[in-house]
Amino acid sequence: MVTNLPAVSVSPDPGDNFLLAVAAAGAADFLVTGDKAHVLSLKSYERTKILSVREFLTLHKRLP
């Protein structure tokens, strides 16, 4: 559970900024999303890498 979310305004879709705030507040290594138009286009936010499901599974050797 994360609290005290930082103010974030970097996503092309302002409605997605809360995801980046949660990732930052939780010091997430990864944010896995299917939002190609907005969130995936960022590639990373602070220390969090932003990946598609396929990229994440391939990285963790769950897919060839």
Side-chain angles (χ1 to χ4, degrees):
M1 183 73 82
V2 294
T3 58
N4 301 323
L5 298 181
V8 176
S9 60
V10 297
S11 176
D13 179 356
D16 292 334
N17 285 317
F18 81 96
L19 295 170
L20 302 170
V22 170
D29 293 323
F30 302 100
L31 173 59
V32 180
T33 181
D35 187 346
K36 294 178 184 172
H38 302 115
V39 180
L40 275 172
S41 65
L42 297 172
K43 306 283 188 209
S44 68
Y45 179 70
E46 294 188 358
R47 60 166 274 160
T48 303
K49 292 181 184 177
I50 302 171
L51 303 172
S52 69
V53 173
R54 178 173 295 283
E55 290 169 326
F56 182 81
L57 292 175
T58 300
L59 178 69
H60 293 309
K61 304 194 186 331
R62 302 283 193 239
L63 287 177

Coordinates of all heavy atoms in Angstrom, one line a residue:
M1 N 0.9 -1.2 0.0 CA 0.0 0.0 0.0 C 0.9 1.2 0.0 O 1.8 1.3 0.8 CB -0.9 0.0 1.2 CG -1.8 1.1 1.3 SD -3.2 1.0 0.2 CE -4.3 -0.1 1.1
V2 N 0.7 2.1 -0.9 CA 1.5 3.3 -1.0 C 0.6 4.5 -0.6 O -0.6 4.5 -0.8 CB 2.1 3.6 -2.4 CG1 3.1 2.5 -2.7 CG2 1.0 3.6 -3.5
T3 N 1.2 5.5 0.0 CA 0.5 6.7 0.4 C 1.3 7.9 0.0 O 2.5 7.8 -0.4 CB 0.3 6.7 2.0 OG1 1.5 6.6 2.6 CG2 -0.6 5.6 2.4
N4 N 0.8 9.1 0.2 CA 1.5 10.3 -0.2 C 2.1 10.3 -1.6 O 3.3 10.4 -1.8 CB 2.6 10.6 0.8 CG 2.1 10.7 2.3 OD1 1.0 11.2 2.5 ND2 2.9 10.2 3.2
L5 N 1.2 10.1 -2.5 CA 1.6 10.1 -3.9 C 2.1 11.4 -4.4 O 1.5 12.5 -4.1 CB 0.4 9.7 -4.8 CG -0.2 8.3 -4.6 CD1 -1.4 8.1 -5.6 CD2 0.8 7.2 -4.7
P6 N 3.2 11.4 -5.1 CA 3.8 12.6 -5.6 C 2.9 13.2 -6.8 O 2.2 12.4 -7.4 CB 5.1 12.2 -6.2 CG 5.0 10.8 -6.5 CD 4.0 10.2 -5.5
A7 N 3.0 14.5 -7.0 CA 2.3 15.1 -8.1 C 3.1 14.7 -9.4 O 4.3 14.9 -9.4 CB 2.2 16.6 -8.0
V8 N 2.4 14.1 -10.4 CA 3.0 13.7 -11.6 C 2.2 14.3 -12.8 O 1.0 14.2 -12.8 CB 3.1 12.2 -11.7 CG1 3.7 11.8 -13.1 CG2 3.9 11.6 -10.6
S9 N 2.9 14.8 -13.7 CA 2.2 15.4 -14.9 C 3.0 15.2 -16.2 O 3.3 16.1 -16.9 CB 1.8 16.8 -14.7 OG 3.0 17.6 -14.5
V10 N 3.4 13.9 -16.4 CA 4.3 13.7 -17.6 C 3.6 12.9 -18.7 O 4.1 12.9 -19.8 CB 5.6 13.0 -17.2 CG1 6.4 13.9 -16.3 CG2 5.4 11.6 -16.5
S11 N 2.5 12.2 -18.4 CA 1.9 11.3 -19.4 C 1.1 12.2 -20.4 O 0.5 13.2 -20.0 CB 0.9 10.4 -18.7 OG 0.2 9.6 -19.7
P12 N 1.1 11.8 -21.6 CA 0.3 12.5 -22.6 C -1.2 12.5 -22.3 O -2.0 13.3 -22.7 CB 0.6 11.8 -23.9 CG 1.9 11.1 -23.7 CD 1.9 10.8 -22.3
D13 N -1.6 11.5 -21.5 CA -3.0 11.3 -21.0 C -3.0 11.6 -19.5 O -2.5 10.8 -18.7 CB -3.5 9.9 -21.3 CG -4.9 9.7 -20.8 OD1 -5.5 10.7 -20.2 OD2 -5.5 8.6 -21.0
P14 N -3.5 12.8 -19.1 CA -3.4 13.1 -17.7 C -4.1 12.1 -16.8 O -3.7 12.0 -15.6 CB -4.2 14.5 -17.6 CG -4.1 15.0 -19.0 CD -4.1 13.8 -19.9
G15 N -5.0 11.3 -17.3 CA -5.6 10.3 -16.5 C -4.7 9.1 -16.1 O -5.0 8.3 -15.2
D16 N -3.6 9.0 -16.8 CA -2.6 8.0 -16.5 C -1.5 8.4 -15.5 O -0.7 7.5 -15.1 CB -1.9 7.5 -17.8 CG -2.8 6.8 -18.7 OD1 -3.8 6.2 -18.3 OD2 -2.6 6.8 -20.0
N17 N -1.5 9.6 -15.1 CA -0.4 10.1 -14.2 C -0.4 9.4 -12.9 O 0.6 9.3 -12.2 CB -0.5 11.6 -14.1 CG 0.1 12.3 -15.3 OD1 1.1 11.9 -15.9 ND2 -0.6 13.4 -15.7
F18 N -1.6 9.0 -12.4 CA -1.7 8.3 -11.1 C -0.9 7.0 -11.1 O -0.3 6.6 -10.1 CB -3.1 8.1 -10.7 CG -3.8 6.9 -11.3 CD1 -3.8 5.7 -10.7 CD2 -4.3 7.0 -12.6 CE1 -4.4 4.5 -11.2 CE2 -4.9 5.8 -13.2 CZ -4.9 4.6 -12.5
L19 N -0.8 6.3 -12.3 CA -0.1 5.1 -12.4 C 1.4 5.4 -12.1 O 2.1 4.6 -11.5 CB -0.2 4.4 -13.7 CG -1.6 3.9 -14.1 CD1 -1.7 3.5 -15.5 CD2 -2.0 2.8 -13.2
L20 N 1.9 6.4 -12.7 CA 3.3 6.8 -12.6 C 3.6 7.3 -11.1 O 4.6 7.0 -10.6 CB 3.7 7.9 -13.6 CG 3.4 7.6 -15.0 CD1 3.6 8.8 -15.9 CD2 4.4 6.5 -15.4
A21 N 2.6 7.9 -10.5 CA 2.7 8.3 -9.1 C 2.8 7.1 -8.2 O 3.6 7.1 -7.3 CB 1.6 9.3 -8.7
V22 N 2.0 6.2 -8.4 CA 2.0 4.9 -7.6 C 3.3 4.2 -7.8 O 3.9 3.7 -6.8 CB 0.8 4.0 -8.0 CG1 0.9 2.7 -7.3 CG2 -0.5 4.7 -7.6
A23 N 3.8 4.1 -9.0 CA 5.1 3.4 -9.3 C 6.2 4.2 -8.6 O 7.1 3.5 -8.0 CB 5.3 3.4 -10.8
A24 N 6.2 5.5 -8.6 CA 7.3 6.3 -8.0 C 7.2 6.1 -6.4 O 8.2 5.9 -5.8 CB 7.2 7.7 -8.4
A25 N 6.0 6.2 -5.9 CA 5.8 6.1 -4.4 C 6.2 4.8 -3.9 O 6.7 4.6 -2.8 CB 4.4 6.5 -4.0
G26 N 5.9 3.7 -4.7 CA 6.2 2.4 -4.3 C 7.6 1.9 -4.7 O 7.9 0.7 -4.5
A27 N 8.4 2.8 -5.3 CA 9.7 2.4 -5.8 C 9.7 1.2 -6.7 O 10.5 0.3 -6.5 CB 10.7 2.3 -4.7
A28 N 8.7 1.1 -7.6 CA 8.5 0.0 -8.5 C 9.7 -0.2 -9.5 O 10.1 0.8 -10.0 CB 7.2 0.1 -9.2
D29 N 10.1 -1.4 -9.7 CA 11.1 -1.7 -10.7 C 10.4 -1.6 -12.1 O 11.1 -1.2 -13.0 CB 11.7 -3.0 -10.5 CG 12.5 -3.1 -9.2 OD1 13.2 -2.1 -8.9 OD2 12.5 -4.2 -8.6
F30 N 9.2 -2.1 -12.2 CA 8.5 -2.2 -13.5 C 7.1 -1.7 -13.4 O 6.4 -1.9 -12.3 CB 8.5 -3.6 -14.0 CG 9.8 -4.2 -14.2 CD1 10.3 -5.1 -13.2 CD2 10.6 -4.0 -15.3 CE1 11.6 -5.7 -13.3 CE2 11.8 -4.5 -15.4 CZ 12.3 -5.4 -14.4
L31 N 6.6 -1.1 -14.5 CA 5.2 -0.8 -14.6 C 4.8 -1.5 -15.9 O 5.3 -1.2 -17.0 CB 4.9 0.7 -14.8 CG 3.5 1.1 -15.1 CD1 2.5 0.6 -14.1 CD2 3.4 2.6 -15.2
V32 N 3.9 -2.5 -15.8 CA 3.5 -3.3 -17.0 C 2.2 -2.8 -17.5 O 1.2 -2.8 -16.7 CB 3.5 -4.8 -16.6 CG1 3.1 -5.7 -17.8 CG2 4.9 -5.3 -16.1
T33 N 2.1 -2.5 -18.7 CA 0.9 -1.9 -19.3 C 0.7 -2.2 -20.7 O 1.6 -2.6 -21.4 CB 0.9 -0.3 -19.1 OG1 -0.3 0.2 -19.6 CG2 2.1 0.3 -19.9
G34 N -0.6 -2.1 -21.2 CA -0.9 -2.3 -22.6 C -1.2 -1.0 -23.3 O -1.6 -1.0 -24.4
D35 N -1.0 0.1 -22.6 CA -1.4 1.4 -23.1 C -0.2 1.9 -24.0 O 0.6 2.7 -23.6 CB -1.6 2.4 -21.9 CG -2.1 3.8 -22.4 OD1 -2.0 4.1 -23.6 OD2 -2.5 4.5 -21.5
K36 N -0.3 1.5 -25.3 CA 0.8 1.8 -26.2 C 0.8 3.3 -26.6 O 1.8 3.9 -26.8 CB 0.6 1.0 -27.5 CG 0.8 -0.4 -27.3 CD 0.5 -1.2 -28.6 CE 0.6 -2.7 -28.4 NZ 0.2 -3.5 -29.5
A37 N -0.4 3.9 -26.6 CA -0.4 5.3 -27.0 C 0.1 6.3 -26.0 O 0.6 7.4 -26.4 CB -1.9 5.7 -27.3
H38 N 0.1 6.0 -24.7 CA 0.5 7.0 -23.8 C 1.6 6.5 -22.8 O 2.7 7.0 -22.9 CB -0.8 7.4 -22.9 CG -1.8 8.0 -23.8 ND1 -3.1 7.4 -23.9 CD2 -1.9 9.1 -24.6 CE1 -3.8 8.1 -24.7 NE2 -3.1 9.1 -25.1
V39 N 1.3 5.5 -22.0 CA 2.2 5.1 -21.0 C 3.5 4.4 -21.5 O 4.6 4.8 -21.2 CB 1.6 4.3 -19.9 CG1 2.5 3.9 -18.8 CG2 0.4 5.0 -19.3
L40 N 3.3 3.5 -22.4 CA 4.4 2.8 -23.0 C 5.4 3.7 -23.7 O 6.6 3.4 -23.7 CB 4.0 1.7 -23.9 CG 3.6 0.3 -23.3 CD1 3.0 -0.6 -24.3 CD2 4.9 -0.3 -22.7
S41 N 4.9 4.7 -24.3 CA 5.7 5.6 -25.1 C 6.7 6.4 -24.2 O 7.7 6.8 -24.7 CB 4.9 6.7 -25.8 OG 4.2 7.5 -24.9
L42 N 6.5 6.4 -22.9 CA 7.4 7.0 -22.0 C 8.7 6.2 -21.7 O 9.7 6.8 -21.4 CB 6.7 7.3 -20.6 CG 5.5 8.3 -20.7 CD1 4.9 8.3 -19.3 CD2 6.0 9.7 -21.1
K43 N 8.6 4.9 -21.9 CA 9.7 3.9 -21.7 C 10.2 3.8 -20.2 O 10.5 2.7 -19.8 CB 10.9 4.3 -22.5 CG 10.7 4.5 -24.0 CD 10.5 3.1 -24.6 CE 10.4 3.3 -26.1 NZ 9.7 2.3 -26.8
S44 N 10.2 4.9 -19.4 CA 10.5 4.8 -18.0 C 10.0 6.1 -17.3 O 9.8 7.1 -18.0 CB 12.0 4.7 -17.8 OG 12.7 5.8 -18.2
Y45 N 10.0 6.0 -16.0 CA 9.7 7.2 -15.2 C 10.4 7.0 -13.9 O 10.3 6.0 -13.2 CB 8.2 7.3 -14.9 CG 7.9 8.5 -14.1 CD1 8.0 9.8 -14.6 CD2 7.5 8.3 -12.7 CE1 7.8 10.9 -13.8 CE2 7.3 9.4 -11.9 CZ 7.4 10.7 -12.5 OH 7.3 11.8 -11.7
E46 N 11.3 8.0 -13.6 CA 12.2 7.9 -12.5 C 13.0 6.6 -12.6 O 13.6 6.3 -13.6 CB 11.5 8.2 -11.2 CG 11.0 9.6 -11.1 CD 10.4 10.0 -9.8 OE1 10.4 9.1 -8.9 OE2 10.0 11.1 -9.6
R47 N 12.9 5.7 -11.6 CA 13.6 4.4 -11.6 C 12.8 3.3 -12.2 O 13.2 2.2 -12.2 CB 14.1 4.1 -10.2 CG 13.0 3.9 -9.2 CD 13.5 3.3 -7.9 NE 13.4 1.8 -8.1 CZ 14.0 0.9 -7.4 NH1 14.8 1.3 -6.5 NH2 13.9 -0.3 -7.7
T48 N 11.5 3.5 -12.6 CA 10.6 2.5 -13.0 C 10.7 2.3 -14.5 O 10.5 3.3 -15.3 CB 9.2 2.8 -12.6 OG1 9.1 3.0 -11.2 CG2 8.2 1.7 -13.0
K49 N 11.0 1.1 -15.0 CA 10.9 0.8 -16.4 C 9.5 0.5 -16.8 O 8.8 -0.3 -16.1 CB 11.8 -0.4 -16.7 CG 13.3 -0.2 -16.5 CD 14.1 -1.4 -16.9 CE 15.6 -1.1 -16.6 NZ 16.4 -2.2 -16.8
I50 N 9.0 1.0 -17.9 CA 7.7 0.8 -18.4 C 7.7 -0.2 -19.6 O 8.4 0.1 -20.6 CB 7.0 2.1 -18.8 CG1 7.0 3.1 -17.6 CG2 5.6 1.9 -19.3 CD1 6.6 4.5 -17.9
L51 N 7.1 -1.3 -19.4 CA 7.1 -2.4 -20.4 C 5.7 -2.9 -20.7 O 4.8 -2.8 -19.9 CB 7.9 -3.6 -19.8 CG 9.3 -3.3 -19.3 CD1 9.8 -4.6 -18.6 CD2 10.2 -3.0 -20.4
S52 N 5.6 -3.5 -21.9 CA 4.4 -4.2 -22.3 C 4.5 -5.6 -21.6 O 5.5 -6.0 -21.1 CB 4.4 -4.4 -23.8 OG 5.4 -5.4 -24.2
V53 N 3.4 -6.3 -21.6 CA 3.3 -7.6 -21.0 C 4.3 -8.5 -21.7 O 5.1 -9.3 -21.0 CB 1.9 -8.2 -21.0 CG1 1.9 -9.7 -20.6 CG2 0.9 -7.4 -20.2
R54 N 4.4 -8.5 -23.0 CA 5.3 -9.3 -23.8 C 6.7 -9.0 -23.4 O 7.5 -9.9 -23.2 CB 5.1 -9.2 -25.2 CG 6.1 -10.0 -26.1 CD 5.7 -10.0 -27.6 NE 4.5 -10.6 -27.9 CZ 4.3 -11.9 -27.9 NH1 5.3 -12.8 -27.6 NH2 3.1 -12.4 -28.3
E55 N 7.1 -7.7 -23.3 CA 8.5 -7.4 -23.0 C 8.8 -7.9 -21.6 O 9.9 -8.4 -21.3 CB 8.6 -5.8 -23.0 CG 8.6 -5.3 -24.4 CD 8.5 -3.8 -24.4 OE1 7.9 -3.2 -23.5 OE2 9.0 -3.2 -25.3
F56 N 7.9 -7.7 -20.6 CA 8.1 -8.2 -19.3 C 8.3 -9.7 -19.2 O 9.3 -10.2 -18.5 CB 7.0 -7.7 -18.4 CG 7.2 -8.1 -16.9 CD1 7.9 -7.3 -16.1 CD2 6.5 -9.2 -16.4 CE1 8.1 -7.6 -14.8 CE2 6.7 -9.6 -15.1 CZ 7.5 -8.8 -14.2
L57 N 7.5 -10.4 -19.9 CA 7.6 -11.9 -19.8 C 8.8 -12.4 -20.5 O 9.5 -13.3 -20.1 CB 6.3 -12.5 -20.4 CG 5.0 -12.3 -19.6 CD1 3.9 -12.9 -20.4 CD2 5.1 -13.0 -18.3
T58 N 9.2 -11.7 -21.6 CA 10.4 -12.1 -22.3 C 11.7 -11.8 -21.4 O 12.6 -12.6 -21.3 CB 10.5 -11.3 -23.7 OG1 9.4 -11.7 -24.5 CG2 11.8 -11.7 -24.4
L59 N 11.6 -10.6 -20.8 CA 12.7 -10.2 -19.9 C 12.9 -11.3 -18.8 O 14.1 -11.6 -18.4 CB 12.5 -8.9 -19.3 CG 13.5 -8.3 -18.3 CD1 14.8 -8.0 -19.0 CD2 12.9 -7.1 -17.6
H60 N 11.8 -11.8 -18.3 CA 11.9 -12.8 -17.2 C 11.8 -14.2 -17.7 O 11.5 -15.1 -16.9 CB 10.8 -12.4 -16.2 CG 11.1 -11.1 -15.5 ND1 12.3 -10.8 -14.9 CD2 10.3 -10.1 -15.3 CE1 12.2 -9.6 -14.4 NE2 11.0 -9.1 -14.6
K61 N 12.2 -14.4 -19.0 CA 12.3 -15.7 -19.6 C 11.0 -16.6 -19.4 O 11.1 -17.8 -19.2 CB 13.5 -16.4 -19.0 CG 14.8 -15.6 -19.2 CD 16.0 -16.4 -19.0 CE 17.3 -15.6 -19.1 NZ 17.4 -14.4 -19.8
R62 N 9.9 -15.9 -19.5 CA 8.6 -16.6 -19.5 C 8.1 -16.8 -20.9 O 7.2 -17.6 -21.2 CB 7.5 -15.9 -18.7 CG 7.9 -15.6 -17.3 CD 7.8 -16.9 -16.4 NE 7.8 -16.6 -15.0 CZ 8.7 -17.1 -14.2 NH1 9.6 -17.9 -14.6 NH2 8.7 -16.7 -13.0
L63 N 8.7 -16.1 -21.9 CA 8.4 -16.3 -23.3 C 9.7 -16.4 -24.0 O 10.7 -15.8 -23.6 CB 7.6 -15.0 -23.8 CG 6.2 -14.9 -23.4 CD1 5.6 -13.6 -24.0 CD2 5.3 -16.0 -23.9
P64 N 9.7 -17.1 -25.2 CA 10.9 -17.2 -26.0 C 11.3 -15.9 -26.6 O 10.5 -15.0 -26.8 CB 10.6 -18.3 -27.0 CG 9.2 -18.5 -26.9 CD 8.6 -17.9 -25.7

